[in-house]
Amino acid sequence: MSTTAFDASPEHAADHADHKPQGFLDRWVFTTNHKDIGTLYLVFSFVMFCIGGAMSGVIRAELAQPGLQLVHPEFFNQMTTVHALVMIFGGVMPAFVGLANWLIPMMIGAPDMALPRMNNWSFWIMPFAFSLLLLTLFLPGGAPAGGWTLYPPLSIQGGANMSFAIFAIHLMGISSIMGAINIIATILNMRAPGIDLLKMPLFVWTWLITAFLLIAVMPVLAGAVTMLLTDKYFATSFFNAAGGGDPVMFQHIFWFFGHPEVYIMILPAFGIVSEIIPTFARKPLFGYQAMVYATASIAFLSFIVWAHHMFTVGLPLGGELFFMYATMLIAVPTGVKVFNWVSTMWASSMTFETPMLWALAFVILFTIGGFSGLMLAIVPADFQYQDTYFVVAHFHYVLVTGALFAIIAAVYYWWPKWTGRMYNETLGKFHFWWSVVFVNLLFFPQHFLGLAGMPRRIPDYNVAFADWNMVSSIGAFGMLLTPIMMAGILWHSKHYGAKAEARSWEGARGLEWTLPSPAPHHTFATPPVLRPGDLAHDDLSH
């Protein structure tokens, strides 16, 4: 690569080539361009969110009233299982990978991802994986119905659906590992001169750490589901008690993957919010290095808390105490992050454009999810909360008002850079307030239901739980409109939006904002020369 430096400012747009491939196949199927692959990931993720959302609509329609009214209990269980797999592996994770593809090369001054052909591969594995998973709905006996955790012995009592689901999970894992290797190679090898590790944008840092988590834990999930497969089809007894196996061992292996997986889905969200809040507060992020170390601490601690999902399986008392204290310890670096976001906004010239509203909602509502997580961390209390709707409320506050809100914030924030068009601010704010009202109507009552003792994953319930379930279902039906709303706002922007400037937001800092809007197809063919203010946390006070 040439090391000739050039000024990255918009007036030097000639340094960026906009030679897009002609023809649909060359542009979208065979593409190795990081921006196009990022777009493919984001579109795929949106489709999966719509499919998973439709499944949640079935679940909440059935639960709107007591009694069995719409679907058979077995189909209800299939919906809960596939809804979770689609939302986690098809919605949240590909959306963050799409954002990483679009943004990381532009943020570090790289011309593309380090391994462009593998990048293409890692995306195109995904549609085949989810076709396999969704095909199970049409198999005899239907889709997997063992909860998203696929606990044996229930999960291995199903029909052919289990092998389809396991092969789909393997393909998703391969895609994730390939994407993670690519991100690590790009960040460590392709930064522009002058961007040291502790000068990288926070979004890049969170993704670097997330990529290591992915490589560490996806093979663990692969091992767990492969053992399920051999138990079902090859007469092994890893988890079959009748043959000397231990079903609780599956839980240990699964959650050794599953807990870091939760942080895989939230660390990039921390990075996004750490980019957006300083922009609209018009101040550099407070405590940049503390944020980096807090992110690394959370990642490390995520490996030693897995059994807090298993307090009721009969762990020894010493084990329960260790996992309780280790889980509570994670609140410390997470609290550092929340403190730093609030400190960034303190005494700032804050404005409330749509991305900032989503970021603020993230900070407030994700913190609610964190507090309920602390409640679940306390062993004697968890004996009451375990497998109730309180747990459902907790993880949806983390994943919906956490991960999903951050993804939406990111799309609104970088949309002008991607398309060269501004969206309609009034429509964006309407979308935000609609979503905040209905997401809280949907999930907040589930705390009360759980505390009152309503178990999760059931299609019918005692009439005493009826009122809050109806409120929750009304919230769900309101939320089902939000993806349609967002698609409409972005379509309107693409066709009728005002032209965006290179620096679309007044307080925006970072290398991507030195590029023209829309960002050309090929950028940073030669590494940019960094100037004061090009990096988000440059200290300009001197």
Side-chain angles (χ1 to χ4, degrees):
M1 188 199 300
S2 162
T3 54
T4 313
F6 75 99
D7 193 324
S9 57
E11 55 269 25
H12 290 262
D15 287 308
H16 307 290
D18 207 15
H19 309 305
K20 296 185 180 72
Q22 300 305 306
F24 181 84
L25 284 178
D26 281 347
R27 174 76 196 273
W28 296 110
V29 177
F30 301 120
T31 180
T32 54
N33 182 282
H34 73 97
K35 299 181 181 73
D36 287 349
I37 293 171
T39 302
L40 286 170
Y41 268 112
L42 289 166
V43 170
F44 174 79
S45 158
F46 179 79
V47 171
M48 288 293 118
F49 275 128
C50 291
I51 292 171
M55 291 173 179
S56 69
V58 172
I59 294 165
R60 285 311 324 170
E62 178 58 60
L63 291 172
Q65 292 178 291
L68 297 173
Q69 44 258 334
L70 293 175
V71 296
H72 190 273
E74 184 66 16
F75 185 72
F76 181 90
N77 290 343
Q78 293 170 28
M79 286 290 98
T80 56
T81 301
V82 181
H83 158 76
L85 291 171
V86 164
M87 286 300 209
I88 289 169
F89 296 111
V92 174
M93 289 172 69
F96 281 134
V97 178
L99 292 168
N101 263 291
W102 247 108
L103 298 169
I104 287 174
M106 296 200 302
M107 287 178 158
I108 63 173
D112 206 310
M113 298 295 278
L115 305 159
R117 289 177 189 277
M118 190 167 89
N119 206 11
N120 175 290
W121 250 112
S122 66
F123 170 75
W124 280 110
I125 289 172
M126 298 289 283
F128 292 98
F130 282 91
S131 300
L132 267 180
L133 180 63
L134 295 172
L135 267 175
T136 58
L137 288 162
F138 306 99
L139 289 177
W148 85 273
T149 51
L150 303 175
Y151 281 177
L154 182 62
S155 60
I156 50 181
Q157 290 165 1
N161 58 44
M162 205 55 208
S163 52
F164 275 69
I166 287 170
F167 281 121
I169 289 168
H170 274 298
L171 287 173
M172 299 167 206
I174 291 166
S175 168
S176 293
I177 290 169
M178 289 165 73
I181 291 169
N182 207 349
I183 286 166
I184 291 169
T186 304
I187 295 171
L188 294 185
N189 295 307
M190 299 185 68
R191 303 189 307 280
I195 304 184
D196 304 331
L197 284 176
L198 282 173
K199 288 186 178 174
M200 297 194 308
L202 235 285
F203 179 73
V204 179
W205 254 115
T206 54
W207 244 117
L208 179 63
I209 291 166
T210 300
F212 279 109
L213 284 180
L214 274 167
I215 291 172
V217 301
M218 291 315 285
V220 177
L221 176 65
V225 295
T226 304
M227 287 190 274
L228 277 183
L229 194 71
T230 59
D231 270 13
K232 182 168 177 57
Y233 293 103
F234 299 102
T236 57
S237 290
F238 291 112
F239 311 126
N240 181 359
D246 182 6
V248 174
M249 182 172 76
F250 177 87
Q251 296 190 30
H252 278 289
I253 300 169
F254 178 87
W255 285 115
F256 190 79
F257 146 79
H259 201 77
E261 166 67 16
V262 173
Y263 290 95
I264 286 164
M265 291 188 285
I266 205 65
L267 291 183
F270 291 166
I272 289 164
V273 171
S274 301
E275 301 294 328
I276 292 174
I277 287 177
T279 292
F280 296 102
R282 291 166 182 76
K283 272 174 66 181
L285 183 70
F286 180 89
Y288 166 83
Q289 288 197 14
M291 291 293 253
V292 173
Y293 297 136
T295 307
S297 304
I298 290 169
F300 169 73
L301 290 170
S302 74
F303 282 102
I304 59 169
V305 296
W306 76 89
H308 68 207
H309 298 269
M310 301 168 53
F311 283 150
T312 57
V313 303
L315 294 177
L317 182 62
E320 289 181 340
L321 286 170
F322 169 79
F323 286 107
M324 175 170 78
Y325 293 134
T327 303
M328 294 168 77
L329 197 58
I330 285 192
V332 176
T334 310
V336 167
K337 287 187 163 300
V338 174
F339 176 83
N340 285 13
W341 291 324
V342 173
S343 299
T344 304
M345 294 183 274
W346 183 261
S348 67
S349 308
M350 198 156 50
T351 53
F352 298 98
E353 286 85 349
T354 305
M356 183 62 159
L357 289 176
W358 287 99
L360 287 173
F362 168 95
V363 173
I364 295 163
L365 298 175
F366 170 79
T367 303
I368 290 174
F371 279 136
S372 59
L374 273 175
M375 293 169 69
L376 288 159
I378 298 166
V379 176
D382 186 73
F383 272 56
Q384 298 299 315
Y385 307 141
Q386 169 73 16
D387 264 339
T388 68
Y389 259 79
F390 190 85
V391 178
V392 178
H394 157 69
F395 70 69
H396 281 91
Y397 265 88
V398 172
L399 287 180
V400 179
T401 64
L404 179 58
F405 271 33
I407 291 163
I408 296 170
V411 171
Y412 277 119
Y413 181 62
W414 281 290
W415 179 259
K417 181 55 60 186
W418 298 344
T419 63
R421 299 281 176 184
M422 299 300 291
Y423 57 86
N424 182 304
E425 195 66 56
T426 306
L427 292 177
K429 286 180 176 169
F430 180 81
H431 174 219
F432 167 76
W433 286 111
W434 179 279
S435 302
V436 162
V437 168
F438 281 104
V439 84
N440 283 295
L441 268 183
L442 168 53
F443 295 121
F444 207 82
Q446 293 177 5
H447 291 105
F448 308 145
L449 290 167
L451 292 173
M454 178 175 164
R456 60 179 174 167
R457 298 180 190 159
I458 54 164
D460 189 11
Y461 52 85
N462 188 298
V463 69
F465 302 130
D467 292 348
W468 284 125
N469 266 299
M470 177 56 83
V471 172
S472 188
S473 290
I474 290 168
F477 300 141
M479 275 300 283
L480 288 177
L481 293 176
T482 61
I484 303 162
M485 220 180 278
M486 185 167 185
I489 291 167
L490 298 182
W491 181 88
H492 179 272
S493 156
K494 189 88 175 70
H495 291 84
Y496 305 108
K499 189 136 179 33
E501 297 173 12
R503 198 175 297 277
S504 312
W505 309 107
E506 183 192 325
R509 309 248 292 275
L511 270 182
E512 73 270 32
W513 301 108
T514 66
L515 296 168
S517 295
H521 197 64
H522 296 287
T523 47
F524 297 125
T526 51
V529 169
L530 295 179
R531 300 173 306 172
D534 276 354
L535 298 179
H537 44 279
D538 281 349
D539 185 1
L540 300 180
S541 56
H542 305 305

